[in-house]
Amino acid sequence: MNSLIEEKVREIREIVGDGKAIIALSGGVDSSTAAMLAYKAIGERLYAVFVNTGLLRKGEPEFVIKTFRDFGLNLVAVNAEERFFRALKGVIDPEEKRKVIGKVFVEIFEEEAKKIGADFLIQGTIAPDWIESRGGIKSHHNVGGLPERLKLRIIEPLRDLYKDEVRQLARELGIPKEIYERMPFPGPGLAARIIGEVTPERVRIVREANAIVEEEIERAKLRPWQAFAVLLGLKTVGVQGDIRAYKETIAVRIVESTDGMTANAMNVPFEVLQRIAFRIVSEIPEVCRVLYDVTNKPPATIEFE
């Protein structure tokens, strides 16, 4: 890992030269690791651009901004919630969602790079991203969502690595455990966990459900690869008191994996699943049913969209 760090730092330094670069920072392990490599390479000439898409997990914007300001990085925080929701209005197809999100991301990065005078965009793209994009499985926003003509030169120092290797690299770089052990989170954010149109109200529902899943998994001291909630866009009949209810359905997905390329549904203790379901239907008034997804990857992917 030490020799890999030296190699990647040298590579970034040679490409950027005396110029400036921005990095697309989400706060996940991939972009955080790429950011620290780039910071070692070019120091103050690196600008970390964090975009609040409105599609992030509960408390995520505050966590990312505080963490990376403490690192001493030049952090540029962009609040673009309305912009993303506008672009996603009426979009239902999952591939189209990913491309729309990728396009808006790039527009923002180009705008910020112009203000800074940067010619390079560093991304935390890893091997599964481009493998799944090229294979037609799904377009990752940082691969399939990129326009053919991009004003910035792309640098991807992690593109040949898998998630477990990136975590090792993060540890060597001194990145805090709460970042390098974080569960993977998709670039399109909660848009990948909503079947159908993405709206502020639907994001609010799935965000709350997702937080409950993560909290209960942590409470049970389980260590899955990923654990999250999905809003299925399917209403079912329920009962509240003696009154008929017709409300939303949430699917819970908890998987084990080593690299994300294959995954198995986790054998979660039933009492944990019951606690998750009870909290979701009790704390989110719009939901009356919770399902557990037991499908492996393949044939399913880990995320729903």
Side-chain angles (χ1 to χ4, degrees), residues 29-101:
V29 63
D30 301 335
S31 68
S32 300
T33 303
M36 297 314 292
L37 283 171
Y39 186 63
K40 284 176 75 74
I42 61 173
E44 292 298 313
R45 291 180 289 119
L46 176 71
Y47 292 79
V49 179
F50 168 70
V51 181
N52 182 0
T53 61
L55 306 170
L56 301 176
R57 285 174 287 192
K58 194 171 184 178
E60 187 114 44
E62 297 82 2
F63 169 78
V64 174
I65 290 169
K66 181 183 184 309
T67 300
F68 287 91
R69 283 205 170 130
D70 289 347
F71 280 157
L73 290 180
N74 291 320
L75 183 66
V76 178
V78 180
N79 190 345
E81 294 185 51
E82 288 185 13
R83 189 166 175 174
F84 277 90
F85 282 122
R86 235 184 357 257
L88 287 165
K89 188 174 177 59
V91 180
I92 294 172
D93 180 75
E95 275 294 282
E96 187 60 26
K97 278 188 205 174
R98 288 174 170 272
K99 288 175 180 176
V100 165
I101 289 168

Side-chain angles (χ1 to χ4, degrees), residues 105-116:
F105 263 125
V106 167
E107 288 172 357
I108 292 169
F109 293 142
E110 287 182 334
E111 290 163 9
E112 296 303 319
K114 187 176 180 181
K115 294 175 191 174
I116 294 162

